[in-house]
Amino acid sequence: MSIAKRQLAASIRNAAHIAEGETLAAFVLDEATERGPNPFPQTSAGVVRHVWAARSFEFRALGIQSAGLPCLLTALAELPLSEPLVQEILRSGPYSLHAFTHGDGCRMIGAVLHSRPNVPLPPLVKPRNSRRGNRTASVESRAQLDLFASAAL
């Protein structure tokens, strides 16, 4: 049973572990985005982990841009291989989005938006502003990364 586009977008947007959640949700809600053929809606974490780990290498080799792939792979690494998942596929032009849930439409594992080879992703949606300005968050992120870099020395 497919999840309504609005519910899927809300689940992606509300998943704190998906860094590009706003971008992925905007793609789902775009009027041009339609459901794609989905030969394997029922799957498992082990299968999804294997397929998308291989695709991450393929994407780099073929110049395929993606959003959400690192977050998906991280989330899958924390699940048992036999964990049942449900896949949703949406498409628009040269872009495809694959979303994975626990089957209830609410608990989002992850989602990946990708293009065809040598086609850039659609313009990215800027994340919603938090209470702090983007500049403050950016400066804090750089400081945190610098801290980790100096700890490795």
Side-chain angles (χ1 to χ4, degrees), residues 7 11 15 17 83-85 100-110:
Q7 183 179 358
S11 295
H17 65 282
E83 180 81 23
L85 301 180
F100 300 93
T101 68
H102 285 286
D104 58 5
C106 296
R107 294 180 298 146
M108 181 61 54
I109 303 301

Side-chain angles (χ1 to χ4, degrees), residues 40-124:
F40 303 106
Q42 305 295 323
T43 187
S44 70
V47 169
V48 174
R49 187 185 313 174
H50 177 75
V51 167
W52 286 95
R55 285 188 178 177
S56 70
F57 290 109
E58 177 185 322
F59 285 4
R60 280 182 268 161
L62 297 175
I64 296 173
Q65 293 186 6
S66 68
L69 185 53
C71 297
L72 174 64
L73 293 174
T74 299
L76 290 168
E78 297 174 4
L79 295 175
L81 296 177
S82 61
E83 180 81 23
L85 301 180
V86 174
Q87 175 178 226
E88 300 285 337
I89 300 174
L90 292 98
R91 290 193 157 74
S92 178
Y95 311 108
S96 296
L97 181 129
H98 298 256
F100 300 93
T101 68
H102 285 286
D104 58 5
C106 296
R107 294 180 298 146
M108 181 61 54
I109 303 301
V112 177
L113 172 64
H114 66 89
S115 63
R116 291 190 182 133
N118 301 311
V119 175
L121 286 177
L124 300 178

